[in-house]
Amino acid sequence: MRSFAGRDILSLKDFEREEFFRVFEVADELAPIARNRRNSDILKEKTLVTAFYQPSTRTRLAHEGAMHRLGGHVTGFSDAKMTRAGDFYQESIKDTVKMLEYYGDVIVMRHFQQGAPQEAAKWSSVPVINAGDGWGEHPTQVLTDLYTVLNEKGTLDGLTFLAIGDMRMRTMHSLSYALSQFDSEIIYVSPPEMSLTDDFKKELEAYNLTFREAKHVADVIHEADVIYMEPVVQPDYTKSREEAKSDKGLTPENYRVTRQLLAEKARPDSIILHSLPRMDELPADVDITRHARYWQEAFNGVVMRMALLSLVLGAME
Ligand code: CP
């Protein structure tokens, strides 16, 4: 297995099966620190730099929280408008990263341009972690999601994932690449204008992923072990920011998962994951059903970032 020390985490295309399990093993080892709400000194000599060119609640704060749990330091920006990259100068990724690499030991970047973290990694002497790039990928979120599935189901093989929502979403891409390493299948359900592109389907075929598309959630939800959701009412991820409109619209019934649908059609042991934030596709009254696992997913988000930071900074081999 390749070492994680000094490695960029840019895409789950790069990940091999045994590497997933190594990350999950390290996450298991570090989880008690977060569970007991303690801080350790594992990364006490290291600093995380966050470079967020798009809004985030979970991804940025989970990385920061993880760094604190490991005794490290944090600096960075959460609004590029207050940096030279977002003002008159529109400073390039290269010039920005050539500064950031001296301010810390690992850079976590979210950007509205697909491929921006890859561009950053080209110029950075320290590891770069992709925290979501445009419609590209969101590898740390999907590592969190699969870790949650592994904890809940005890396996990542032999499962059926039902992916519901906008298939342009970066999580959907990372999830699809990741599942190509496991003996599990995906059923995709999305509005036609948000469906998988032909190019992406060809790529998935080349990766030997077992997948199919379905029109209606209600027709296939009984097959799902894991119900993986994203909104269809959402902003344009290629923009740095989109203000809320007074009428954002509602999610068509076909892409919603309600208590009634779960009670009538879902497997009793199926679990729901949602990377959040949510709109009306997942009503809040689903939270108290036995299917909901998104709060565990949120906790695991911190643990997973602890594992990744420890690995790329060489504190765990
Ligand atoms: N899941 C996720 O990426 O959430 P944030 O946009 O809040 O980081």
Side-chain angles (χ1 to χ4, degrees):
M1 191 192 326
R2 296 171 293 175
S3 170
F4 281 98
R7 189 161 145 191
D8 304 308
I9 306 291
L10 300 173
S11 163
L12 291 187
K13 265 188 204 182
D14 301 340
F15 258 67
E16 293 168 15
R17 184 181 167 96
E18 60 178 0
E19 293 174 332
F20 282 98
F21 288 115
R22 178 60 191 143
V23 173
F24 300 151
E25 221 169 55
V26 172
D28 279 344
E29 211 172 310
L30 298 174
I33 301 171
R35 194 169 296 115
N36 295 322
R37 297 188 178 278
R38 304 186 96 86
N39 292 349
S40 62
D41 61 1
I42 294 168
L43 291 181
K44 69 172 192 269
E45 288 171 0
K46 300 293 182 188
T47 299
L48 163 71
V49 183
T50 52
F52 275 64
Y53 293 76
Q54 251 186 349
S56 167
T57 299
R58 283 145 283 269
T59 312
R60 183 172 65 83
L61 295 173
H63 277 95
E64 294 192 1
M67 199 61 185
H68 289 299
R69 289 279 181 236
L70 296 169
H73 308 272
V74 177
T75 186
F77 58 86
S78 56
D79 183 358
K81 276 203 172 60
M82 297 310 291
T83 74
R84 296 307 196 183
D87 80 344
F88 178 87
Y89 293 96
Q90 298 285 298
E91 195 167 26
S92 69
I93 288 175
K94 176 184 175 183
D95 287 8
T96 304
V97 165
K98 292 304 285 175
M99 300 297 110
L100 301 185
E101 66 176 342
Y102 299 120
Y103 305 155
D105 308 295
V106 55
I107 298 168
V108 177
M109 176 179 281
R110 169 168 287 188
H111 208 291
F112 51 91
Q113 280 169 14
Q114 192 169 333
Q118 281 82 352
E119 169 73 3
K122 214 163 79 185
W123 303 109
S124 173
S125 59
V126 300
V128 174
I129 296 178
N130 180 358
D133 61 319
W135 294 123
E137 279 204 61
H138 199 347
T140 68
Q141 177 64 53
V142 169
L143 284 166
T144 299
D145 301 340
L146 294 191
Y147 180 59
T148 306
V149 174
L150 183 63
N151 284 344
E152 296 291 329
K153 296 283 179 191
T155 180
L156 290 170
D157 294 304
L159 300 176
T160 298
F161 284 67
L162 172 59
I164 307 165
D166 186 342
M167 296 308 151
R168 298 170 302 174
M169 267 306 277
R170 44 204 185 196
T171 45
M172 294 299 187
H173 300 152
S174 291
L175 177 73
S176 305
Y177 292 132
L179 286 184
S180 70
Q181 297 294 315
F182 302 96
D183 182 23
S184 284
E185 63 168 340
I186 313 188
I187 306 168
Y188 299 100
V189 180
S190 66
E193 68 280 14
M194 297 177 186
S195 62
L196 299 174
T197 65
D198 287 340
D199 281 349
F200 190 61
K201 281 194 263 190
K202 278 197 197 112
E203 209 182 341
L204 297 184
E205 279 159 14
Y207 275 83
N208 289 350
L209 179 73
T210 307
F211 71 93
R212 66 181 202 269
E213 292 171 286
K215 281 204 169 74
H216 304 289
V217 169
D219 292 345
V220 286
I221 197 166
H222 66 279
E223 295 184 53
D225 299 293
V226 180
I227 301 166
Y228 191 92
M229 300 189 70
E230 286 287 354
V232 299
V233 176
Q234 58 175 3
D236 180 350
Y237 274 71
T238 64
K239 292 186 177 157
S240 60
R241 184 183 174 85
E242 204 171 322
E243 296 306 327
K245 298 182 195 110
S246 54
D247 178 19
K248 291 183 222 165
L250 293 173
T251 304
E253 205 52 36
N254 193 30
Y255 312 109
R256 300 180 75 222
V257 171
T258 61
R259 283 182 76 155
Q260 188 183 349
L261 181 67
L262 288 164
E264 288 174 1
K265 304 224 162 165
R267 284 188 191 172
D269 63 348
S270 60
I271 60 170
I272 301 173
L273 297 184
H274 194 309
S275 66
L276 303 171
R278 64 177 151 186
M279 299 294 286
D280 62 326
E281 71 282 359
L282 182 61
D285 65 3
V286 174
D287 298 0
I288 52 157
T289 68
R290 65 178 171 278
H291 303 277
R293 292 294 188 285
Y294 27 97
W295 309 131
Q296 283 89 336
E297 195 182 355
F299 169 74
N300 288 338
V302 177
V303 175
M304 179 49 57
R305 275 63 177 228
M306 289 168 72
L308 290 171
L309 291 168
S310 301
L311 283 162
V312 302
L313 288 170
M316 299 291 239
E317 186 43 68

